[in-house]
Amino acid sequence: MRQRALITILLGATLLSANMLSAPAMAQTLRIALASEPTAVDPHYHDLTPNNALAMHLFDGLVLQDEKQALKPGLAASWENDGRNRWTFKLRQGVTFTNGKPFTAEDVVFTFCRTLKNETKVSGSFADITGNFASVETPDAHTLVITTTEPEPLLPNLLSGLPILTASIVEHGPISYDVAKNCGVTGPWPAVNHFNDGTAAIGTGPYKLKSYVRGSAIDLERNPTYWGPAEPWATVRFVPVTNAGPRLAGLLAGDYDVIENPAARDLARLKGDKRFGHVITPSTRVIYFQLDVARNESPFVKAPDGKNPLKDARVRKAMSLAIDRDAIVKRIMDGAAEPAYQYLPTGMSGTLANPPKLAYDPTAAKKLLAEAGYPNGFQLTLSSTNDRYINDSQITQAVAQYLTQIGIKTEVDAMTRAIYFPRRAKKEFSVALGGWGSGTGEAASFLRQWPPTPNDAKTLGGSNYGGYKNDEFDKVIRAAVTTLDDTKRAELLQQAMTLVLTDGAFIPLHFESGIWAFKSELAVAGRADQFMLAMSVKPAK
């Protein structure tokens, strides 16, 4: 600002004119077609990739992740651990929210409290992180000290996914991490609709919310007070286009600048066309089926003996043997995926170095069914989204056909994710399709969320909708997630991985790849977390 004050008005006008000519992108609207629409602007509503990606435009976390999921400073400039269960975060100074309020440690404490006081959320939605906090102290306005009930070696990784709100959106007195006393909040806590209408959508991110019209478009505008580098796009428009064909047609017609997840088979139409480019990025997202292994009577299972066959490990193994993963990757995913034999790609921390291949063997599957007492099979319904994961309903249809071939008469009930996820959280399904990307870059991400018996603090097993229970696994995973030594933690996670794979209550199918197609005058950085971010799109020149 001081340097600019020394520049003459005439020179300033000349520079402004030159900038307008050399960087027209600064005044452009970036138009993006989404494969899956965010279900809310509220960043704590549902821990779902489309929602989290939208939140990253409007809000910041204490810690951020780059496109390869490496950690970098966000609203916290630095952090350190005492070797046990105490973490100290030094907060970035000079940051303001879009309503002009300064960012302080009080806002972080308010955010933590809100995750535990959020009555309109779907499932746990970040309470699994804050539920482990024994205390949160603020020695000064820009220092935060978190003491966890149990050691949490991955706390910075976990906090990278938790968007920070401003306490100014509620009536409050002194804010403190005292959940029993409502943390100092004296008025009502904000609900999801307060974010969707914009009144509570106040963050420190690179963009501000202009409008959110469900099923139509989400419009953002650049945040002029953003603490980081200014984004090249003055405005961003996200348009939900759930069918891959119309998304690609819109790109070819010039209606969109970037589209996510075009069908891999359609990429041939872009190759050799200088007007367009594309990028394929491997992700950590595993697509799998979660089975109801707890209830004696499951809602969408009908067996001759009146029992729930999914409780039998032989039946679950038969179901896995019936699935040709290679064929699904080749024919449905068009090669833009990898068969999954565990819950995180091999080579990442906590994974098995050489996981046993999950073979396709329908003959062995039929034999196992007969041994389990179901030589003529039984009836089953697979529940799935039809607008969340790449080719989700087609994948489910294919698996239904494979199961039918071994005698399990299988139907498919595919529905929009807005209906599906709340129903799944209420445990209304017998076999449910799921997709999970590791937010921490190690096997603990899946293994702490889905298979554990839920604990009282709800920090483990928050998504165990199938009622899976293995006492040995619970013992191992509880030890793993509190082990600070990376090598020892990885060994424990490998043990936990083996136990879950053996029991077969979660049947992995494949790992998705993220695919983006775009106009050639743009450069797009594909992300391992599959987030579609305007911040990942820059002018190519």
Side-chain angles (χ1 to χ4, degrees):
M1 294 299 293
R2 293 178 181 175
Q3 290 179 336
R4 290 184 180 179
L6 299 175
I7 300 174
T8 64
I9 296 176
L10 178 60
L11 179 57
T14 302
L15 290 174
L16 177 61
S17 176
N19 284 338
M20 292 176 63
L21 292 174
S22 63
M26 292 298 288
Q28 286 182 351
T29 293
L30 180 66
R31 302 163 301 170
I32 300 174
L34 298 176
S36 186
E37 181 184 17
T39 56
V41 177
D42 183 349
H44 303 157
Y45 174 68
H46 192 184
D47 187 4
L48 194 65
T49 293
N51 294 27
N52 296 343
L54 174 61
M56 285 189 68
H57 294 80
L58 307 174
F59 308 91
D60 291 306
L62 292 179
V63 183
L64 302 179
Q65 292 188 11
D66 67 13
E67 62 272 11
K68 295 181 180 180
Q69 293 191 278
L71 299 185
K72 60 182 183 179
L75 291 179
S78 64
W79 52 90
E80 62 180 5
N81 175 250
D82 68 349
R84 295 183 295 277
N85 60 341
R86 182 181 175 92
W87 289 85
T88 300
F89 292 82
K90 292 295 184 179
L91 305 185
R92 190 180 297 276
Q93 301 189 35
V95 177
T96 60
F97 289 94
T98 53
N99 64 355
K101 300 290 185 180
F103 162 70
T104 69
E106 181 180 77
D107 300 298
V108 183
V109 175
F110 165 72
T111 298
F112 292 165
C113 290
R114 199 262 174 163
T115 65
L116 302 172
K117 292 288 187 176
N118 185 3
E119 296 182 356
T120 56
K121 66 185 177 184
V122 174
S123 189
S125 295
F126 306 106
D128 58 333
I129 302 172
T130 53
N132 189 29
F133 293 174
S135 67
V136 181
E137 302 168 282
T138 56
D140 58 61
H142 293 94
T143 303
L144 190 78
V145 179
I146 301 173
T147 302
T148 56
T149 303
E150 296 181 322
E152 178 48 80
L154 298 178
L155 187 59
N157 305 65
L158 296 171
L159 290 178
S160 68
L162 179 54
I164 302 301
L165 310 178
T166 170
S168 65
I169 58 177
V170 297
E171 297 177 2
H172 65 85
I175 295 289
S176 65
Y177 194 72
D178 189 342
V179 180
K181 294 183 179 180
N182 220 32
C183 299
V185 174
T186 56
W189 290 86
V192 60
N193 59 292
H194 298 128
F195 291 87
N196 292 348
D197 67 18
T199 55
I202 299 168
T204 60
Y207 290 95
K208 300 189 298 182
L209 181 68
K210 187 176 181 181
S211 66
Y212 171 79
V213 181
R214 184 75 176 271
S216 178
I218 304 170
D219 289 303
L220 311 179
E221 56 187 2
R222 191 167 52 228
N223 176 8
T225 64
Y226 179 52
W227 56 269
E231 290 298 313
W233 316 112
T235 57
V236 177
R237 164 163 279 210
F238 292 107
V239 180
V241 185
T242 57
N243 189 287
R247 280 200 305 279
L248 181 63
L251 176 68
L252 295 174
D255 296 332
Y256 312 121
D257 303 305
V258 182
I259 64 173
E260 64 173 350
N261 296 336
R265 67 180 68 92
D266 291 334
L267 293 180
R269 298 177 61 183
L270 301 179
K271 293 178 180 177
D273 190 331
K274 295 182 179 180
R275 298 176 300 165
F276 305 102
H278 72 274
V279 61
I280 301 176
T281 302
S283 83
T284 60
R285 181 174 304 283
V286 62
I287 302 299
Y288 62 94
F289 278 106
Q290 181 181 36
L291 281 57
D292 177 4
V293 298
R295 291 178 285 191
N296 292 326
E297 295 183 7
S298 194
F300 292 101
V301 178
K302 186 177 181 181
D305 59 4
K307 298 180 181 179
N308 175 11
L310 302 179
K311 297 184 69 175
D312 193 314
R314 293 169 296 183
V315 172
R316 302 195 295 267
K317 186 174 181 180
M319 293 172 64
S320 180
L321 286 168
I323 301 170
D324 190 340
R325 292 167 176 79
D326 291 332
I328 289 175
V329 167
K330 181 179 179 180
R331 299 171 188 171
I332 298 178
M333 302 302 292
D334 297 289
E338 292 289 336
Y341 307 135
Q342 53 185 326
Y343 307 111
L344 196 67
T346 301
M348 303 193 77
S349 179
T351 59
L352 303 178
N354 296 291
K357 181 177 180 179
L358 300 179
Y360 170 55
D361 192 339
T363 301
K366 291 178 181 179
K367 183 179 179 180
L368 279 172
L369 282 180
E371 290 178 2
Y374 302 99
N376 298 315
F378 53 91
Q379 296 181 32
L380 178 69
T381 295
L382 303 181
S383 301
S384 166
T385 53
N386 58 17
D387 59 356
R388 172 60 194 97
Y389 309 110
I390 301 174
N391 301 326
D392 42 12
S393 60
Q394 297 97 309
I395 293 164
T396 308
Q397 289 286 354
V399 171
Q401 293 177 25
Y402 285 130
L403 296 179
T404 298
Q405 289 172 5
I406 66 168
I408 301 176
K409 303 174 183 63
T410 308
E411 297 182 352
V412 171
D413 184 14
M415 64 202 77
T416 179
R417 71 210 179 288
I419 296 174
Y420 178 82
F421 288 121
R423 288 189 63 188
R424 188 181 65 174
K426 295 176 183 177
K427 304 180 181 180
E428 295 184 8
F429 303 137
S430 297
V431 181
L433 184 75
W436 187 258
S438 173
T440 62
E442 70 166 30
S445 180
F446 182 93
L447 294 175
R448 71 188 297 161
Q449 182 70 19
W450 297 90
T453 302
N455 59 358
D456 292 338
K458 299 180 180 179
T459 58
L460 295 175
S463 299
N464 188 356
Y465 308 127
Y468 173 71
K469 182 174 176 56
N470 180 320
D471 291 339
E472 185 180 358
F473 166 80
D474 286 339
K475 180 180 179 181
V476 174
I477 193 63
R478 288 168 191 257
V481 299
T482 58
T483 298
L484 294 171
D485 183 278
D486 291 344
T487 301
K488 292 181 180 179
R489 186 171 68 254
E491 292 173 353
L492 289 168
L493 291 172
Q494 289 170 345
Q495 294 177 33
M497 180 81 75
T498 300
L499 289 168
V500 178
L501 286 170
T502 300
D503 283 344
F506 302 85
I507 300 177
L509 300 178
H510 58 265
F511 296 106
E512 284 187 347
S513 291
I515 308 176
W516 293 267
F518 44 87
K519 292 181 177 179
S520 58
E521 59 262 31
L522 302 175
V524 177
R527 294 181 59 95
D529 55 20
Q530 296 183 303
F531 284 4
M532 178 65 258
L533 302 182
M535 295 82 79
S536 297
V537 184
K538 307 293 183 184
K541 296 180 180 179

